[in-house]
């Protein structure tokens, strides 16, 4: 049972990491993948619950389920990496939500169904061995959670630091085969036992050999397929994500989570010249500049053409700078060796919070906020931090997708959200429209008169390829400003972007889907119109209807009420699992590395809550009263979690450990309910394993709903704080149902 939890965490976390790389780091797909995993696991658990009672050899079935996981896990890794190729997409081409949903559903299906089926069989085996059928489901639940706890630190600090993904999959397969082999030895006799043991031993030998030999061929084959046979010079994971270097003739392109971020020795001349010089030419005398990401490969070179004293340069992923030095070009070597350059091996957002320096110009060179990792550089909270280190005449600049021919609704919403956010912090904001819109912001007014900028270009003796006098005049034509203003229209109803309400991510994904999955435009438009008021009213209407039915049919809905409470607790538990993951990424940016640890903290609380309740189970006489008290505790937790996250966001990394504590408390409350619910749910027509399987499936069904709704809809659209209030409302209704049962 320990191995069941251990395997589940490793499989889920590793596949999520692989899908994050494949689908360009969009953390909201974590919800989609978890939703698929959970619903398939629920199907596996529920469909096998009755079969677990009828099976003559449950241990044999359990061992065969372990065999299936051991053999398919490496295959799933390979398929996750090569999904875009299977879908016929080129490297860097976007993927819509529908493709993400279906591809992840089919790839993880065997693993999640096998994992779900293990639970009722585990309950059957444990009750038979322990002779304690009442406590069996709770103890299996606890043992599974303990497996998660053991897996978390091992996965994070051992597997990820020493093994490739295929090696991890093979190692987990070996553990499952060993477990299956031991189980078969105690279950079977004669020829059948010898045959199956021999087969397991052969597979064990093959996987052990593969761990040290064949995995390398699998890895190279998956990378070649993933990158369409391009020349991959380097492929590795850092704590922030996946980094890849591709060579085409003498040109190097550096990718972060599949998104090209730096090209050398030939950069995008138009982009680096416009972003650099429009920023620095608007300042009378720039001396100290901060470049946040994307500096190497042309941007720094253009900056050094100005009479600067110092450039501080940080990367979103500090490991990227080391990779650039590993594959140098004349351009990057010259940039990185300039004595005026100070490279800061630190996350850019953290540097902005910690630095005591102030700057004449701050250039943010990151892609649009399509992920929470990127979005944290476009929020009101970050803009306020930028404002604190910007000098009185300083200029802050960045870019967003644009067009000089047509601005569709998705592009308008994305630009409008960030523009509204920027204006809420800076007194003066100006935009230079183009294929990319250049945003310039300052505390005080600044000029964008073409003649002034052209004069400064001449005075500083700056030589450019594209940004000549005529180009500056063309870009700053008054008609472009008027056209942009008219195309954008009234922006008052477009939501601002915050750490705990990442509207920028939602609008970026809507824009992305408009390009690659236009069939979803209507759905994204409807989601954009969701409001807390309407969601609250819908929830109250549904809750009132359920309370009415319970009053009319109290006996018939007794089990339904318990089931609803467990499903709603599963919903809340998964909600906070995701909320904490998303908030952690918004605050700190490296959930890619600490994902397993956050899940482990939740499971540790789950195990502790389940163990404590199971230990007291036989002594509890008023089960529904105890259940009601737990419901009240969950409501209180929901109400306090939001304000506490706001408090945490005001501090730096020294309080990041609090996320693990909150996750543990959430798990403790969820874990406390399951054993107690199982005791209340039992009756003459339900066995222990049937009740456990049914409630486990309801728990997973609630978690499935949360995985889909929380990450994809609630958090990006209404924000984390209001989501917590909706969760509290949901539990208020379930607690009323339980209170009525207690009476």
């Amino acid at each position: 049972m320990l191995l069941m939890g251990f395997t589940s965490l490793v499989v889920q976390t590793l596949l999520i990491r692989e899908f994050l790389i494949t689908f360009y780091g969009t953390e909201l797909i974590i919800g989609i993948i978890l939703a698929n995993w959970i619903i398939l696991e629920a199907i596996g658990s529920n469909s096998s619950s009755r079969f677990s009672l009828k099976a003559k050899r449950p241990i044999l079935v359990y061992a065969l389920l372990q065999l299936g996981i051991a053999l398919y896990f490496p295959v799933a890794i390979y398929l996750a990496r090569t999904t875009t190729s299977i879908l016929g997409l080129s490297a860097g081409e976007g993927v819509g939500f529908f493709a993400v949903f279906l591809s992840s559903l089919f790839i993880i299906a065997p693993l999640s169904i096998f994992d779900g089926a293990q639970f009722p069989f585990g309950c059957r085996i444990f009750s038979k061995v322990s002779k304690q059928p009442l406590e069996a489901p709770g103890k299996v639940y606890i043992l599974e959670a303990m497996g998660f706890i053991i897996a978390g630190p091992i996965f994070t600090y051992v597997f990820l630091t020493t093994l490739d993904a295929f090696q991890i999959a093979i190692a987990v397969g070996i553990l499952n085969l060993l477990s299956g082999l031991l189980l078969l030895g105690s279950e079977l006799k004669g020829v059948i036992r010898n045959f199956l043991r021999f087969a397991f031993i052969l597979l064990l030998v093959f996987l052990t050999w593969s761990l040290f030999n064949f995995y390398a061929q699998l890895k190279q084959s998956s990378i070649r397929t993933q990158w369409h046979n391009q020349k991959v010079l380097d492929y590795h994971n850092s704590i922030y994500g996946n980094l890849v270097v591709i060579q085409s003739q003498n040109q190097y392109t550096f990718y972060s989570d599949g998104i090209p971020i730096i090209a050398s020795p030939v950069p995008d001349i138009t982009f680096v010249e416009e972003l650099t010089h429009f920023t620095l030419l608007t300042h009378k005398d720039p001396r100290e500049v901060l470049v946040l990401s994307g500096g190497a490969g042309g941007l720094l070179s253009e900056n050094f053409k100005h009479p600067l004293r110092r450039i501080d340069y940080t990367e979103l992923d500090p490991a990227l700078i080391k990779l650039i030095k590993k594959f140098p070009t004349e351009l990057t070597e010259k940039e990185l060796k300039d004595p005026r350059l100070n490279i800061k091996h630190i996350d850019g957002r953290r540097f902005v919070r910690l630095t005591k320096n102030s700057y004449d110009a701050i250039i943010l060179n990151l892609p649009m906020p399509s992920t929470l990792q990127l979005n944290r550089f476009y929020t009101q909270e970050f803009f306020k931090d930028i404002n604190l280190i910007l000098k009185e005449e300083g200029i802050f600049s960045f870019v967003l997708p644009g067009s000089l021919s047509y601005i569709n609704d998705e592009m308008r919403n994305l630009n409008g959200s960030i523009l509204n956010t920027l204006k809420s912090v800076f007194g003066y904001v100006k935009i230079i429209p183009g294929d990319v819109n250049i945003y310039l912001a300052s505390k005080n007014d600044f000029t964008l008169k073409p003649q002034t900028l052209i004069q400064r270009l001449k005075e500083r003796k700056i030589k450019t390829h594209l940004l000549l006098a005529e180009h500056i005049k063309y870009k700053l034509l008054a008609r472009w400003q008027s056209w942009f203003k008219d195309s954008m229209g009234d922006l008052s109803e477009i939501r601002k972007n915050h750490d705990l309400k990442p509207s920028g991510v939602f609008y970026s994904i809507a824009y992305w889907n408009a390009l690659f999955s236009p069939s979803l435009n209507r759905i994204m438009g409807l989601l954009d119109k969701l409001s807390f008021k309407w969601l609250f009213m819908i929830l109250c209407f549904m809750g009132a209807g359920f309370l009415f039915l319970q009053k009319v049919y109290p006996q018939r809905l007794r089990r339904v009420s318990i089931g609803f409470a467990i499903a709603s607790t599963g919903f809340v538990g998964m909600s906070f699992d995701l909320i904490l993951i998303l908030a952690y990424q918004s605050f700190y940016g490296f959930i890619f590395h600490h994902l397993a640890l956050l899940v482990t903290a939740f499971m540790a609380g789950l195990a502790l809550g389940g163990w404590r309740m199971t230990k007291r189970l036989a002594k509890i006489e008023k089960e529904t009263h105890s259940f009601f008290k737990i419901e009240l505790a969950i409501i209180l937790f929901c109400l306090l979690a939001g304000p506490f996250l706001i408090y945490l966001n005001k501090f730096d990394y020294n309080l990041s450990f609090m996320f693990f504590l909150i996750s543990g408390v959430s798990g403790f409350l969820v874990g406390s309910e399951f054993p107690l619910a199982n005791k209340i749910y039992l009756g003459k027509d339900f066995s222990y394993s049937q009740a456990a399987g049914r409630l486990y499936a309801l728990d997973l069904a609630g978690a499935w709903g949360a995985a889909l709704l929380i990450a994809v809809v609630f958090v990006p659209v209404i924000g984390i704080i209001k989501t917590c209030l909706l969760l509290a409302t949901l539990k208020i209704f379930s607690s009323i149902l339980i209170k009525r049962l207690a009476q």
Side-chain angles (χ1 to χ4, degrees):
M1 311 309 164
L2 282 171
L3 185 59
M4 179 171 66
F6 184 97
T7 301
S8 184
L9 181 130
V10 174
V11 170
Q12 289 180 54
T13 308
L14 195 58
L15 283 175
I16 285 173
R17 284 168 59 94
E18 292 298 329
F19 279 120
L20 279 174
I21 296 167
T22 300
F23 298 127
Y24 314 116
T26 305
E27 301 90 351
L28 301 191
I29 69 166
I30 293 176
I32 295 176
I33 296 166
L34 284 178
N36 284 336
W37 177 276
I38 289 164
I39 195 63
L40 290 167
E41 191 177 32
I43 290 171
S45 174
N46 198 43
S47 61
S48 61
S49 60
R50 290 197 176 187
F51 179 56
S52 66
L53 293 174
K54 298 177 182 179
K56 295 180 179 179
R57 292 176 174 173
I59 292 179
L60 173 60
V61 177
Y62 194 91
L64 291 175
L65 290 171
Q66 290 183 307
L67 172 64
I69 291 172
L71 294 179
Y72 184 72
F73 191 11
V75 177
I77 297 295
Y78 188 92
L79 292 174
R81 285 191 176 181
T82 59
T83 297
T84 52
S85 296
I86 295 170
L87 295 173
L89 304 174
S90 59
E93 185 176 349
V95 184
F97 265 130
F98 190 65
V100 173
F101 178 82
L102 285 182
S103 58
S104 62
L105 179 72
F106 286 112
I107 289 171
I108 69 176
L111 291 170
S112 49
I113 290 173
F114 291 162
D115 184 62
Q118 282 184 313
F119 187 81
F121 277 97
C123 292
R124 166 86 184 276
I125 295 167
F126 195 90
S127 63
K128 182 179 178 181
V129 173
S130 67
K131 309 296 183 182
Q132 295 176 319
L134 178 63
E135 297 181 2
K139 288 189 175 180
V140 171
Y141 198 65
I142 295 167
L143 286 170
E144 183 186 28
M146 289 177 66
F148 270 81
I149 297 167
I150 295 168
I154 292 176
F155 179 81
T156 303
Y157 298 114
V158 179
F159 284 179
L160 289 183
T161 57
T162 59
L163 300 176
D164 174 77
F166 285 107
Q167 286 179 303
I168 295 172
I170 293 169
V172 170
I174 290 172
L175 290 174
N176 276 272
L177 281 179
L178 281 172
S179 173
L181 194 60
L182 293 172
L183 287 172
L184 287 176
S186 63
E187 170 76 357
L188 300 174
K189 296 180 181 179
V191 177
I192 297 177
R193 182 183 70 173
N194 292 334
F195 173 77
L196 288 174
R197 289 181 72 177
F198 179 70
F200 267 66
I201 289 170
L202 280 180
L203 289 170
L204 190 60
V205 171
F206 172 73
L207 286 180
T208 305
W209 175 80
S210 300
L211 183 62
F212 301 101
N213 298 279
F214 186 57
Y215 90 91
Q217 285 84 352
L218 273 176
K219 177 182 177 182
Q220 292 304 318
S221 175
S222 67
I223 292 173
R224 281 197 305 271
T225 306
Q226 184 178 19
W227 290 94
H228 300 271
N229 293 313
Q230 296 183 74
K231 189 175 182 180
V232 179
L233 300 181
D234 199 290
Y235 182 103
H236 76 274
N237 296 326
S238 72
I239 67 171
Y240 288 90
N242 175 258
L243 296 173
V244 175
V245 183
I246 302 290
Q247 183 180 20
S248 178
Q249 296 182 346
N250 295 322
Q251 180 79 353
Y252 296 102
T253 305
F254 297 81
Y255 291 81
S256 175
D257 289 331
I259 301 173
I261 50 176
I262 290 175
S264 181
V266 183
D268 183 341
I269 299 297
T270 303
F271 176 80
V272 296
E273 285 192 354
E274 287 188 350
L275 178 58
T276 299
H277 300 306
F278 276 127
T279 303
L280 297 184
L281 290 174
T282 55
H283 196 285
K284 296 177 182 178
D285 186 25
R287 294 295 177 179
E288 296 176 321
V289 174
L290 172 62
V291 175
L292 297 169
S293 291
L299 195 72
L300 291 175
S301 292
E302 295 302 318
N303 271 267
F304 285 131
K305 293 178 181 180
H306 293 261
L308 306 178
R309 283 197 297 263
R310 186 180 86 248
I311 295 180
D312 289 338
Y313 171 40
T314 74
E315 270 298 345
L316 174 65
D317 188 344
L320 180 62
I321 297 174
K322 297 179 181 179
L323 205 57
I324 293 168
K325 290 180 178 179
K326 183 179 178 181
F327 300 99
T329 64
E330 183 179 352
L331 173 65
T332 56
E333 278 194 318
K334 183 179 179 181
E335 289 175 326
L336 299 181
K337 289 181 179 179
D338 193 294
R340 292 171 291 175
L341 180 66
N342 295 292
I343 300 175
K344 306 294 183 179
H345 295 278
I346 185 176
D347 167 58
R349 176 155 172 168
R350 188 182 186 197
F351 176 80
V352 169
R353 279 198 171 185
L354 296 179
T355 186
K356 303 299 181 183
N357 299 325
S358 55
Y359 298 93
D360 298 303
I362 300 175
I363 301 175
L364 174 66
N365 184 19
L366 284 171
M368 65 179 180
S370 58
T371 72
L372 288 169
Q373 189 182 59
L374 294 171
N375 189 72
R376 53 202 287 269
F377 290 90
Y378 293 90
T379 63
Q380 187 182 71
E381 292 82 359
F382 178 69
F383 290 162
K384 287 180 179 179
D385 289 338
I386 288 289
N387 195 36
L388 292 175
I389 64 171
L390 199 63
K391 293 181 180 179
E392 286 302 314
E393 304 298 326
I395 304 293
F396 171 51
S397 67
F398 60 86
V399 299
L400 287 174
S403 173
L404 289 177
S405 58
Y406 173 67
I407 296 179
N408 61 21
D409 289 340
E410 291 76 19
M411 184 184 292
R412 172 183 173 273
N413 290 339
L414 171 59
N415 280 268
S417 175
I418 306 305
L419 178 57
N420 285 342
T421 308
L422 194 65
K423 285 183 175 180
S424 70
V425 176
F426 292 93
Y428 296 88
V429 176
K430 298 180 182 181
I431 301 101
I432 303 175
D435 292 332
V436 292
N437 297 324
I438 301 174
Y439 285 76
L440 302 167
S442 181
K443 299 176 182 179
N444 296 299
D445 198 6
F446 56 93
T447 183
L448 272 182
K449 292 180 180 179
Q451 293 304 322
T452 303
L453 270 59
I454 293 168
Q455 182 62 33
R456 289 174 181 173
L457 190 71
K458 291 178 180 179
E459 290 174 353
R460 298 175 193 177
K461 299 178 181 179
I462 296 172
K463 295 181 179 180
T464 57
H465 294 87
L466 176 75
L467 201 80
L468 305 175
E470 291 304 314
H471 185 78
I472 292 174
K473 291 177 182 178
Y474 175 77
K475 291 290 292 186
L476 298 178
L477 284 172
R479 68 185 178 96
W480 291 131
Q481 295 291 328
S482 299
W483 178 85
F484 180 79
K485 185 177 180 180
D486 292 340
S487 298
M488 293 295 288
D490 181 17
L491 304 177
S492 59
E493 293 185 1
I494 299 179
R495 300 185 302 275
K496 296 184 182 70
N497 193 30
H498 297 271
D499 285 343
L500 294 175
K501 188 178 181 180
S503 301
V505 177
F506 178 83
Y507 289 130
S508 294
I509 291 174
Y511 171 71
W512 191 272
N513 273 285
L515 296 176
F516 301 107
S517 294
S519 59
L520 294 177
N521 285 355
R522 182 172 295 180
I523 295 175
M524 297 302 289
L526 290 173
L527 292 179
D528 187 31
K529 295 177 182 178
L530 285 177
S531 66
F532 173 77
K533 179 179 70 175
W534 282 108
L535 290 171
F536 180 76
M537 289 174 64
I538 291 170
L539 185 58
C540 288
F541 178 78
M542 293 173 61
F546 207 100
L547 290 174
F548 174 77
L549 289 175
Q550 190 203 38
K551 188 174 183 179
V552 177
Y553 307 106
Q555 294 304 317
R556 292 184 185 181
L557 294 181
R558 178 179 176 81
R559 280 206 181 106
V560 176
S561 299
I562 295 296
F564 177 80
I566 283 295
S568 64
T569 297
F571 188 96
V572 170
M574 176 54 69
S575 295
F576 277 104
D577 212 8
L578 283 169
I579 283 170
L580 293 173
I581 287 171
L582 300 178
Y584 194 90
Q585 181 75 324
S586 292
F587 292 2
Y588 311 124
F590 48 86
I591 193 60
F592 191 78
H593 187 60
H594 283 167
L595 176 62
L597 292 180
L598 270 173
V599 175
T600 298
F602 177 83
M603 296 309 295
L606 194 78
L608 182 60
W611 171 81
R612 179 179 174 274
M613 184 55 65
T614 301
K615 190 176 180 181
R616 299 178 60 238
L617 203 58
K619 300 177 182 178
I620 297 176
E621 296 179 357
K622 297 181 179 180
E623 296 91 350
T624 49
H625 284 284
S626 298
F627 200 94
F628 176 70
K629 290 179 181 178
I630 299 173
E631 291 279 294
L632 292 181
I634 294 174
I635 294 169
L636 182 62
F637 178 83
C638 293
L639 294 174
L640 294 178
F644 194 66
L645 286 174
I646 294 174
Y647 175 78
L648 283 181
N649 197 26
K650 296 179 180 179
F651 294 89
D652 194 50
Y653 289 55
N654 55 345
L655 289 180
S656 61
F657 72 92
M658 294 299 296
F659 274 83
F660 301 97
L661 179 61
I662 299 170
S663 186
V665 173
S666 174
F668 179 84
L669 294 172
V670 173
S672 297
E673 278 203 355
F674 188 81
L676 192 57
N678 192 67
K679 184 178 179 181
I680 300 171
Y681 200 80
L682 283 172
K684 293 180 181 180
D685 54 336
F686 268 82
S687 66
Y688 299 112
S689 57
Q690 277 185 299
R694 182 70 57 84
L695 288 177
Y696 189 60
L698 287 169
D699 180 38
L700 292 175
W704 170 78
L708 272 183
L709 293 174
I710 296 301
V712 180
V713 181
F714 285 9
V715 169
V717 177
I718 67 171
I720 287 176
I721 306 304
K722 291 180 179 177
T723 297
C724 291
L725 293 177
L726 286 179
L727 295 175
T729 305
L730 175 65
K731 291 309 296 177
I732 286 172
F733 283 113
S734 74
S735 66
I736 295 173
L737 291 173
I738 299 301
K739 181 64 174 177
R740 286 182 174 180
L741 290 181
Q743 294 173 345

